[in-house]
């Protein structure tokens, strides 16, 4: 079955109570026990498991072609659970332009627990090889990266890592399984901020880990999930499941719009550079073509001529692009990334990150035309 069909099939319900086609939301935190001590419906208490979460986790595993998935209350809660499965003294590698909070999570929280981290430019495989230490346990990939859309070769990094028994996890938030199937490319774990494209309407915070194999590591992280309780509410799970039904359609529409906007902006005299993996001029375009088999996605960044002030002013002149952080919703958003991160952020001063929505592309281009003058 193709992914558009799977997105519908995996989120359908076969409801024994009322024959509901759309899943009911199970708000109950506790579930009935039989006189013999068993649980007829396997659920006991909602921190450990809940029908809506169980259904969402099944769908996530199917979409990423994994063996098992675990849902969390945010993307960062998912990342945290994975790092918590590592031991004091372990070393991890992250991209030098990883999602800002991912690296800060290590320096602010996990370093004091004995985890060490090296930031590496993962577009250069020799840098990855050089940064490997005897205690390296995990290589964290983010591709396309945020906000410069650098592309890391998932297949090649997985080969390097697996030769040495190192795990590979990919933050696949930007590409989604519609564009990029990380587990098929060799990664062991996929992380999603399902807050973004999966939810798709900027109204639910949640995250997930999807594992290629159901093994000791996935079970350990399931234990962490149940014990620490960073889980999405039943309603959050329901919203993500609903988002999944239209995920393939939305992402395709956003990608088509992004391609056309990129085409327009890359020829505009006020634009210094457009960062988008679908451009043949993108430094890792060939790798992107190889691994982003579903398309190049709805995210792009532009560096405009001028400085941070000029870039900020432009966001004010755009009427159809709301100036706000986050991404992946049906509405177009724009943000000046460096000022959202911090003074030491590696994002260029003049860079604006754009999450392209599903509006009519002629309107979106016209908006830029007017704003750029
Ligand atoms: C938003 C985001 C995260 C963090 O997810 P939350 O749901 O906000 O916790 C991680 N990685 C990427 C690429 C993101 O865009």
């Amino acid at each position: 079955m193709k992914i558009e069909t799977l997105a519908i099939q995996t989120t359908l319900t076969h409801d024994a109570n009322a024959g509901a086609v759309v899943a009911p939301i199970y708000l109950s935190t506790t579930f009935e026990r039989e006189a013999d001590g068993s649980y007829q419906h396997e659920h006991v208490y909602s921190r450990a498991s809940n029908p809506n979460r169980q259904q969402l986790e099944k769908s996530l595993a199917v979409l990423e072609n994994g063996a098992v998935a675990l849902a969390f209350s945010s993307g960062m809660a998912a990342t945290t659970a994975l790092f918590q499965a590592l031991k004091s003294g372990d070393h991890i590698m992250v991209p030098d332009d990883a999602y800002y909070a991912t690296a800060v999570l290590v320096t602010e929280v996990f370093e004091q627990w004995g985890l060490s981290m090296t930031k590496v430019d993962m577009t250069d495989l020799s840098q990855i090889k050089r940064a490997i230490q005897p205690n390296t346990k995990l290589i964290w990939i983010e591709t396309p990266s945020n906000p410069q859309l650098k592309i890391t070769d998932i297949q090649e990094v997985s080969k390097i890592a697996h030769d040495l028994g190192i795990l590979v996890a990919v933050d696949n938030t930007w590409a989604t399984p519609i564009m990029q199937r990380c587990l098929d490319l060799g990664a062991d774990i996929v992380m999603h901020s399902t807050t973004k494209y999966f939810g798709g309407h900027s109204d639910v915070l949640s995250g997930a880990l999807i594992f290629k194999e159901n093994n000791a590591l996935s079970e350990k992280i399931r234990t962490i999930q149940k014990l620490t309780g960073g889980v999405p509410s039943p309603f959050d799970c329901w919203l993500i499941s609903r988002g999944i039904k239209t995920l393939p359609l939305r992402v395709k529409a956003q990608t088509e719009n992004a391609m056309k906007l990129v085409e327009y902006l890359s020829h505009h005299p006020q634009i210094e550079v457009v960062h988008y993996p679908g451009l043949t001029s993108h430094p890792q375009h060939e790798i992107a073509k190889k691994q982003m088999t579903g398309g190049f996605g709805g995210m792009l960044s532009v560096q405009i001529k001028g400085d941070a002030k000029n870039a900020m002013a432009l966001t004010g002149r755009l009427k159809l692009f709301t100036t706000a952080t986050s991404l992946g919703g049906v509405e177009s958003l724009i943000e000046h990334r460096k000022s959202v991160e911090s003074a030491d952020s590696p994002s260029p001063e003049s860079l604006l990150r754009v999450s392209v929505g599903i509006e009519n592309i002629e309107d979106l281009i016209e908006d830029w035309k007017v704003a750029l003058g």
Side-chain angles (χ1 to χ4, degrees), residues 73-77 79 99 101-102 140 142 144 146 171 173-174 191-196 205-207 326-327 353:
S73 53
S74 71
M76 290 309 295
T79 303
Y99 179 73
T102 305
W140 179 270
E142 190 182 316
N146 180 10
D171 182 339
T173 299
W174 280 31
M191 191 285 278
H192 277 288
S193 168
T194 46
T195 311
K196 313 294 169 53
L205 191 76
S206 61
S326 201
L327 59 110
R353 191 186 77 180

Side-chain angles (χ1 to χ4, degrees), residues 16-302:
N17 276 338
V21 175
V22 173
I25 303 174
Y26 291 90
L27 293 176
S28 185
T29 53
T30 185
F31 299 86
E32 228 178 310
R33 194 174 189 186
E34 305 300 311
D36 64 3
S38 67
Y39 290 88
Q40 204 189 335
H41 300 284
E42 72 191 271
H43 304 291
V44 177
Y45 182 65
S46 237
R47 171 156 44 74
S49 76
N50 165 282
N52 294 100
R53 193 163 99 224
Q54 189 179 46
Q55 172 161 22
L56 171 61
E57 289 175 342
K58 274 189 191 149
S59 304
L60 291 167
V62 166
L63 292 182
E64 281 287 6
N65 205 15
V68 59
L70 298 170
F72 292 88
S73 53
S74 71
M76 290 309 295
T79 303
T80 298
L82 172 56
F83 291 174
Q84 282 174 328
L86 300 173
K87 286 199 286 291
S88 177
D90 286 350
H91 171 254
I92 66 174
M93 215 183 289
V94 304
D96 55 3
D97 63 343
Y99 179 73
Y100 195 64
T102 305
V104 175
L105 174 68
V106 179
T107 53
E108 292 290 317
V109 178
F110 283 99
E111 275 183 359
Q112 69 194 18
W113 291 1
L115 213 62
S116 61
M117 170 181 75
T118 306
K119 288 186 184 178
V120 176
D121 176 359
M122 294 201 179
T123 61
D124 180 359
L125 296 176
S126 69
Q127 283 199 35
I128 295 178
K129 286 183 189 154
R130 274 203 303 278
I132 290 172
Q133 300 174 11
N135 56 341
T136 303
K137 287 285 149 53
L138 173 73
I139 299 180
W140 179 270
I141 296 174
E142 190 182 316
T143 181
S145 72
N146 180 10
Q148 298 196 55
L149 293 111
K150 293 202 274 185
I151 301 295
T152 299
D153 192 324
I154 298 169
Q155 235 165 354
E156 289 303 316
V157 174
S158 298
K159 273 187 215 150
I160 294 167
H162 291 160
D163 279 349
L164 298 164
I166 298 168
L167 286 167
V168 175
V170 185
D171 182 339
N172 202 27
T173 299
W174 280 31
T176 81
I178 310 303
M179 305 287 151
Q180 180 168 274
R181 309 296 284 272
C182 305
L183 300 180
D184 295 350
L185 290 164
D188 305 288
I189 304 161
V190 169
M191 191 285 278
H192 277 288
S193 168
T194 46
T195 311
K196 313 294 169 53
Y197 284 102
F198 276 81
H201 297 74
S202 308
D203 55 9
V204 54
L205 191 76
S206 61
L209 295 173
I210 300 107
F211 301 82
K212 187 176 208 153
E213 287 173 25
N214 194 354
N215 57 18
L217 178 71
S218 64
E219 277 310 305
K220 181 166 186 172
I221 298 174
R222 185 190 294 282
T223 302
I224 291 170
Q225 179 206 35
K226 287 182 184 181
L227 288 174
T228 59
V231 292
S233 74
F235 185 46
D236 292 345
C237 296
W238 188 92
L239 282 172
I240 300 296
S241 291
R242 181 164 80 164
I244 285 173
K245 294 172 196 285
T246 55
L247 176 73
L249 274 182
R250 284 185 283 107
V251 172
K252 262 182 224 158
Q254 285 164 306
T255 299
E256 275 172 32
N257 277 354
M259 296 278 280
K260 287 180 185 150
L261 186 60
V262 162
E263 171 66 21
Y264 172 76
L265 293 175
S266 58
H267 291 107
H268 198 285
Q270 293 302 317
I271 302 288
E272 191 87 57
V273 55
V274 180
H275 301 281
Y276 188 70
L279 281 171
T280 50
S281 58
H282 185 286
Q284 295 95 37
H285 175 66
E286 288 306 317
I287 300 168
K289 229 166 64 181
K290 183 181 73 169
Q291 68 189 16
M292 298 184 81
T293 46
F296 301 105
M299 294 298 298
L300 61 109
S301 290
V302 291

